[in-house]
Amino acid sequence: MERRKVCLLMALWAMLQLSSPGSGLRAPRRTTGGHRAGLTGQDANGVPLRRSKRGWMWNQFFLLEEYTGTDMQYVGKLHSDSDRGDGSTRYVLTGEGAGTLFKIDEKSGDIHATKRLDREEKAFYVLHAKAVNRFTNEALEGESEFIIKIHDINDNEPRFTRDPYMARVPEMADIGTSVIQVTATDADDATYGNSARVVYSILEGQPYFSVDPETGLIKTALPGMDREVKENYQVVIQAKDMAGQMGGLSGTTTVSITLSDVNDNPPRFTKTVYDFPVPESLELGSVIGVIRAMDADIGENAEMDYRIIGSDGPGTFEITANRSSQDGVIRLRKPLDFEKKRQYSLRVQVENVHINQRFLNMGPFRDEATVRISVEDVDEPPVFERPGYVMEVKEDAARNTILGSVSASDPDIKHSPVKYSIDRRTDMDRVFNIHAGNGSLFLLRELDREEKAWHNISVLATEFNNPRQISRVPVYIRVLDVNDNAPTFAANYETFVCENAKANQRIQTISATDPDEPVGGHRFFFALAQEAAGKANFSVRDNKDNTAWILTRRNSYNSLQKSVYHVPVVISDGEYPMQSSTNTLTVRVCTCDREGNMKLCNAEALAARAGLSTGALVAILLCVLILLMIVVLFAALRRQRKKEPLIISKEDVRDNVVSYNDEGGGEEDTQAFDIGTLRNPEAIEESKQRRDIVPETFYPPVRRPVLPPPCRDNNGDVRDFITQRLQENDSDPTAPPYDSLATYAYEGNGSVAESLSSLESATTEGDQDYNYLSEWGPRFKKLADMYGGEDSDRDS
């Protein structure tokens, strides 16, 4: 079959070559080469017009794509009338693909294609040809342009623009509802034959869908497709070229079609009756129960609304829809009371939110159910008759006075007795108490309205049989005022009178204050005290408006005779029982100018006006004295710091040495101390002079006597040594006439090993024999091995 196909294609190509104009093996001939001029008219200036006639020319060659032969594919032949056949004519080919895709025989003018050509890559090539003299390279013919056009063959299958396709169509759609259009393209030449003519067909997906063979539009082919039965479909579409004829090439694609949901299913309750037990103590807003209705639809088509269409307890319950789960949630809106009502019955309806009018004939899109709620008894705390109590009591009420009573009862059927108490956190001072049996409140302490006008306490009611059941109620106690405070001056008045004052001259206006709060307001009365009325230098005038004036009773006052006057003023209130008090006003006598302005008062008056008492003056003097003492002490400390130290020389530096706490312990057990303790008095040169003074050559050196052998007493040894050194220094004529520091360092005697230190030692290491260390025992074995061995080695 394939071989037959190739033969047909070759025959078709041959027919096209013979029928195409200018595609013959030879170009149209003419008698001579070059051009022949012919008169064809004149131009606007009268110049004759000429046209050139070509010796050879052509339009285009045709070549089949995808050539499969072993030899180069022959394209055509170029020939010029100027070619005499003697080999002097050379044909030249230029343009697209010349020399690579297309080659020309320079002598014969034959053109061949060197490679397989693909029309889908390039459909035609534009080339230029000319004939030249091989020896002189002179053009025998003018350059001509021709086209090599690639003939298409059906070598490309149709390809879909997408694979796979995704589409959605509503469920229950009518027959012929458009789903999606698929498109396939063919790279072959659509203007030549049927190689690019595509026909669509459906391979998989019947009988649900169909496809238009010309347009590729997919449509529904079966009515009543239900998403709830089957939601997804896989449809395979084929696109075939050659108009679907035998031998055409084809391609396929998959179309995934999903049925989208429509609201074609009503909601239905899972049960017709729901029962929920609820305790009567349930708080408002709490969930009582959840009911559920099922809907086969999804998304917004499954959204439902719940409502109560009937209830024997209106307003007690409410139902809302949970949008995430589409459940109906029943909540409590009013308190429950088992003793009043023990059961409720509700009629609940569910309905779709979004109803499709197209499917109303499928039945009502709603459902109903019954909800029964049973109230369970709970042991409740006592309930007070009122939510709060307000009581009043006078501030002069005696102890154990009853203020009022509270009342509470057990709401349960058993009616347990109630016991009352006061929450002491609200009555920390224990001012009140309550009778545990009848709830009567009474006083434990006296009250003072001026100290606290309101008392807010909490009274507790507890079931006698179940102390854990407690309720509380606020009690507000108002303390009523009683006139138990006398009025006093409203301020601390301090006034003065001029020496040149006149009689009945006002020197001060006074007013009063009273912590009591009478209903009609305060009314104060002012008067001069009776004991001062006969010999008074001043008088008091009541202004009848809760104020009074202090007036002078004579023309002049003398500060030398008396500088201060005390005026007793009696202030009384108008309440029952009347309260009064005597308040003293201090009046200073001062020197004033003619306008009455104070110029000078005595020292006592000035001190008093400045607010400085005797105690304050004493305190100020003490502070000044303490400050002076601190300054003196600070100055003394600074002087003491400036004294020079005892030793200021930088050369007076004590050496640090080490002491051996254990004989033979070596350098492992040490502590620092003064080097003088290691000085051996027996190794000191007698002619060694002191280093703290300049040597004197005029005095002979002092000979130090040899010390007697030390005794067993260590303390006596040291004491004798120090005494001897003191005597030497005292009798030394070379000692300076000023105090100096002498160091007496003595190692002591009594060790059989004598001193282990080499400081100021009269002997050298080489003069010593350490063989005796081996006799000291195991503790000195290491030293004996170190030093005894070296001596023996050296001696040998």
Side-chain angles (χ1 to χ4, degrees):
M1 184 66 186
E2 192 68 29
R3 193 174 173 187
R4 182 180 178 183
K5 180 179 178 182
V6 173
C7 292
L8 289 174
L9 291 174
M10 294 297 294
L12 178 62
W13 172 80
M15 293 174 65
L16 291 172
Q17 290 282 13
L18 294 174
S19 61
S20 299
S23 62
L25 298 180
R26 297 176 62 86
R29 301 177 65 91
R30 64 183 179 85
T31 56
T32 61
H35 304 278
R36 177 180 291 180
L39 296 176
T40 58
Q42 296 179 348
D43 59 8
N45 299 324
V47 179
L49 297 175
R50 300 176 182 273
R51 66 181 179 87
S52 299
K53 185 176 180 180
R54 311 293 297 222
W56 55 279
M57 60 184 300
W58 52 90
N59 293 329
Q60 58 185 359
F61 291 119
F62 290 91
L63 187 65
L64 284 177
E65 67 170 335
E66 303 295 344
Y67 173 71
T68 58
T70 57
D71 299 331
M72 290 190 298
Q73 187 178 5
Y74 182 73
V75 179
K77 184 180 181 64
L78 301 180
H79 184 75
S80 174
D81 292 342
S82 301
D83 187 0
R84 298 184 179 86
D86 56 359
S88 62
T89 301
R90 182 169 64 90
Y91 295 96
V92 179
L93 184 67
T94 59
E96 296 178 339
T100 56
L101 296 179
F102 305 101
K103 289 187 177 181
I104 188 171
D105 191 327
E106 295 181 352
K107 296 180 179 180
S108 64
D110 294 333
I111 302 175
H112 292 83
T114 62
K115 298 180 181 179
R116 294 174 56 184
L117 302 179
D118 189 357
R119 189 203 66 83
E120 286 70 40
E121 292 183 2
K122 190 171 180 62
F124 62 90
Y125 296 85
V126 180
L127 294 99
H128 299 84
K130 62 182 178 180
V132 299
N133 187 283
R134 181 181 300 275
F135 304 105
T136 63
N137 206 28
E138 181 182 356
L140 301 177
E141 296 285 348
E143 185 179 82
S144 297
E145 181 181 86
F146 67 95
I147 297 175
I148 299 178
K149 188 173 182 181
I150 310 301
H151 268 307
D152 182 50
I153 64 172
N154 189 19
D155 59 343
N156 291 280
E157 72 277 3
R159 295 181 181 274
F160 284 93
T161 55
R162 281 186 290 167
D163 187 22
Y165 285 84
M166 308 296 293
R168 297 178 67 87
V169 63
E171 64 173 330
M172 310 300 290
D174 296 332
I175 297 177
T177 302
S178 298
V179 180
I180 192 174
Q181 185 176 13
V182 296
T183 303
T185 58
D186 197 319
D188 295 325
D189 190 359
T191 63
Y192 178 73
N194 293 326
S195 297
R197 185 181 175 186
V198 178
V199 175
Y200 300 95
S201 61
I202 185 167
L203 300 182
E204 295 181 13
Q206 299 95 345
Y208 305 103
F209 302 95
S210 63
V211 63
D212 189 300
E214 299 293 335
T215 62
L217 180 62
I218 301 175
K219 301 179 180 179
T220 58
L222 192 67
M225 287 190 293
D226 193 354
R227 186 200 64 82
E228 288 73 32
V229 176
K230 186 177 181 180
E231 183 176 5
N232 297 310
Y233 296 86
Q234 297 293 327
V235 179
V236 179
I237 303 296
Q238 182 189 62
K240 190 173 184 180
D241 58 12
M242 298 297 292
Q245 298 176 5
M246 294 293 292
L249 303 178
S250 64
T252 59
T253 187
T254 302
V255 183
S256 180
I257 301 175
T258 302
L259 297 182
S260 59
D261 185 60
V262 298
N263 191 9
D264 58 342
N265 294 280
R268 292 290 180 262
F269 280 110
T270 57
K271 295 190 295 184
T272 57
V273 178
Y274 295 86
D275 291 297
F276 298 107
V278 179
E280 63 174 333
S281 60
L282 191 68
E283 296 181 358
L284 297 182
S286 300
V287 177
I288 293 176
V290 177
I291 61 177
R292 176 169 298 176
M294 303 302 296
D295 193 330
D297 298 320
I298 60 175
E300 67 176 14
N301 296 318
E303 292 182 0
M304 293 172 278
D305 278 339
Y306 297 85
R307 66 175 181 269
I308 299 174
I309 59 176
S311 173
D312 56 359
T316 307
F317 307 96
E318 67 175 0
I319 185 170
T320 57
N322 185 343
R323 290 305 177 194
S324 61
S325 62
Q326 300 303 324
D327 295 334
V329 182
I330 303 174
R331 285 185 170 85
L332 182 65
R333 292 185 59 186
K334 293 182 178 180
L336 301 176
D337 192 349
F338 174 81
E339 288 73 27
K340 294 182 179 179
K341 189 173 180 60
R342 302 184 180 184
Q343 191 168 6
Y344 294 87
S345 179
L346 310 178
R347 192 69 182 165
V348 180
Q349 183 185 81
V350 63
E351 184 178 13
N352 276 134
V353 177
H354 307 284
I355 298 177
N356 195 328
Q357 301 295 328
R358 178 186 171 193
F359 303 103
L360 285 177
N361 57 354
M362 299 182 66
F365 283 77
R366 65 178 63 91
D367 196 14
E368 295 181 1
T370 300
V371 179
R372 293 184 301 203
I373 299 174
S374 302
V375 182
E376 297 178 342
D377 187 25
V378 176
D379 190 7
E380 300 173 275
V383 178
F384 285 92
E385 292 181 351
R386 287 185 284 176
Y389 293 85
V390 178
M391 301 179 184
E392 294 181 346
V393 61
K394 291 187 176 182
E395 62 176 326
D396 61 348
R399 296 182 181 179
N400 298 324
T401 299
I402 295 178
L403 285 66
S405 62
V406 298
S407 178
S409 60
D410 183 11
D412 300 322
I413 298 177
K414 57 185 179 180
H415 294 297
S416 173
V418 176
K419 182 175 64 175
Y420 301 95
S421 62
I422 293 178
D423 186 355
R424 289 304 173 187
R425 291 175 298 180
T426 61
D427 185 25
M428 301 293 289
D429 298 330
R430 301 185 68 86
V431 180
F432 307 96
N433 203 355
I434 191 170
H435 194 281
N438 57 22
S440 298
L441 276 167
F442 57 91
L443 287 175
L444 289 178
R445 295 173 51 187
E446 291 81 2
L447 300 175
D448 188 356
R449 189 204 64 84
E450 287 71 33
E451 181 180 347
K452 192 172 184 179
W454 283 90
H455 295 266
N456 302 328
I457 64 174
S458 293
V459 175
L460 307 178
T462 308
E463 284 189 12
F464 188 81
N465 296 329
N466 187 2
R468 292 179 297 177
Q469 296 297 332
I470 303 174
S471 59
R472 64 177 58 234
V473 68
V475 179
Y476 308 99
I477 302 171
R478 180 184 180 185
V479 182
L480 301 178
D481 185 39
V482 174
N483 191 25
D484 57 348
N485 292 280
T488 58
F489 278 149
N492 186 17
Y493 297 107
E494 292 234 0
T495 187
F496 68 93
V497 62
C498 295
E499 291 182 329
N500 56 355
K502 304 297 181 181
N504 293 325
Q505 181 179 341
R506 183 182 65 184
I507 63 173
Q508 184 67 47
T509 300
I510 60 175
S511 60
T513 183
D514 191 338
D516 296 325
E517 292 183 359
V519 178
H522 289 291
R523 177 66 181 93
F524 299 118
F525 302 95
F526 301 87
L528 192 64
Q530 291 294 333
E531 62 273 13
K535 53 180 179 179
N537 293 289
F538 302 91
S539 62
V540 178
R541 178 184 297 177
D542 193 343
N543 296 325
K544 309 299 183 182
D545 59 354
N546 292 340
T547 64
W549 291 350
I550 306 298
L551 305 176
T552 59
R553 296 189 64 177
R554 54 193 181 91
N555 287 329
S556 61
Y557 298 85
N558 191 343
S559 60
L560 298 178
Q561 295 179 357
K562 190 171 185 179
S563 60
V564 178
Y565 292 89
H566 298 285
V567 181
V569 180
V570 178
I571 308 175
S572 304
D573 56 20
E575 298 299 317
Y576 179 82
M578 181 178 291
Q579 301 288 339
S580 64
S581 65
T582 301
N583 300 265
T584 301
L585 178 65
T586 301
V587 181
R588 309 284 178 179
V589 180
C590 300
T591 302
C592 302
D593 56 14
R594 293 182 178 180
E595 285 76 19
N597 299 320
M598 181 182 65
K599 295 175 59 179
L600 179 64
C601 282
N602 55 16
E604 182 181 357
L606 289 175
R609 293 186 63 84
L612 296 177
S613 61
T614 304
L617 293 174
V618 173
I620 293 174
L621 292 176
L622 288 176
C623 292
V624 173
L625 182 61
I626 292 173
L627 289 174
L628 291 175
M629 293 176 63
I630 293 174
V631 171
V632 171
L633 180 61
F634 181 76
L637 290 175
R638 291 194 62 181
R639 286 196 301 271
Q640 185 176 358
R641 287 177 185 169
K642 292 182 179 180
K643 291 182 178 180
E644 294 184 356
L646 181 61
I647 299 175
I648 61 176
S649 174
K650 295 182 180 180
E651 298 178 356
D652 189 9
V653 178
R654 302 298 178 92
D655 296 334
N656 283 334
V657 299
V658 295
S659 65
Y660 299 88
N661 294 334
D662 186 91
E663 289 185 331
E667 298 160 351
E668 295 177 356
D669 298 322
T670 64
Q671 73 176 17
F673 68 100
D674 196 296
I675 192 173
T677 58
L678 292 182
R679 291 175 180 170
N680 189 355
E682 299 178 359
I684 298 177
E685 298 179 1
E686 295 181 355
S687 62
K688 187 176 182 179
Q689 299 183 3
R690 294 174 56 177
R691 292 177 294 175
D692 56 340
I693 61 174
V694 179
E696 295 287 345
T697 57
F698 301 99
Y699 299 96
V702 179
R703 302 287 297 177
R704 296 187 178 93
V706 180
L707 294 176
C711 62
R712 294 288 183 179
D713 187 3
N714 291 334
N715 294 333
D717 181 23
V718 175
R719 184 169 52 252
D720 294 342
F721 171 76
I722 294 175
T723 302
Q724 180 181 355
R725 287 300 177 90
L726 285 173
Q727 293 176 358
E728 293 176 359
N729 280 276
D730 291 340
S731 60
D732 188 1
T734 62
Y738 49 82
D739 295 338
S740 62
L741 179 63
T743 302
Y744 304 105
Y746 176 53
E747 185 181 22
N749 297 320
S751 174
V752 297
E754 297 182 350
S755 175
L756 297 180
S757 175
S758 62
L759 299 175
E760 301 182 0
S761 175
T763 61
T764 62
E765 183 179 354
D767 300 331
Q768 296 188 24
D769 185 8
Y770 297 100
N771 291 328
Y772 61 86
L773 294 176
S774 59
E775 301 176 359
W776 288 5
R779 298 180 66 180
F780 294 91
K781 183 177 184 303
K782 187 174 181 179
L783 289 174
D785 294 339
M786 292 174 59
Y787 291 93
E790 291 180 358
D791 294 341
S792 61
D793 293 340
R794 187 171 55 251
D795 296 336
S796 63

